Amino acid sequence: MDIGNQKNDMTFYRGYEGEKEVIIAADDCVIHIWDGYFSDIFGNPLMKNGKWSGFTRDYNESINSYGECIEWAIDSQEYLEDLMLYTKQDFDFNESRDVLELLINIMQNAIKKGIVVTAHTN
């Protein structure tokens, strides 16, 4: 998904309004993602060099980008490397693969353009 034209995208939160969400902001684009997709992707954590990093660490330790209502500036390279660990995983929800691809696209775009990405839960 190209995030270049997205302003306030609810695609991955629609139908789950009122449930916990993860909000990713990059430049003037804001993406809302249902917590269940994060649980599906990061609930069976993968490690790099024996350590959690990126969204895996944040989700499983409830810190940083996954901390309650705290906007966290993401290290796009670290989070991209973490996301790439999951590209061959199977997920319970079909949309989880789309969410993973979107997050990868956001991080790659941020690195390429020097955009700051923030994330928090609500």
Side-chain angles (χ1 to χ4, degrees), residues 81-106:
E81 290 172 11
D82 176 51
L83 291 163
M84 296 305 288
L85 296 174
Y86 294 90
T87 58
K88 293 186 173 129
Q89 294 297 108
D90 292 322
F91 302 113
D92 292 332
F93 302 108
N94 292 334
E95 296 87 350
S96 296
R97 169 95 27 228
D98 296 333
V99 169
L100 177 64
E101 290 173 6
L102 174 62
L103 292 171
I104 289 170
N105 183 276
I106 290 169

Side-chain angles (χ1 to χ4, degrees), residues 1 4 25 29 55 58 64 69 74-75 77 85 101 103 105-106 108 118:
M1 173 184 276
C29 303
F55 284 118
D58 295 359
N64 302 335
C69 298
I74 287 175
D75 176 335
Q77 187 62 49
L85 296 174
E101 290 173 6
L103 292 171
N105 183 276
I106 290 169
Q108 289 172 333
T118 62

Side-chain angles (χ1 to χ4, degrees), residues 41-55:
I41 297 167
F42 304 109
N44 293 311
L46 299 176
M47 295 183 181
K48 181 178 179 183
N49 300 324
K51 296 164 75 174
W52 288 339
S53 65
F55 284 118

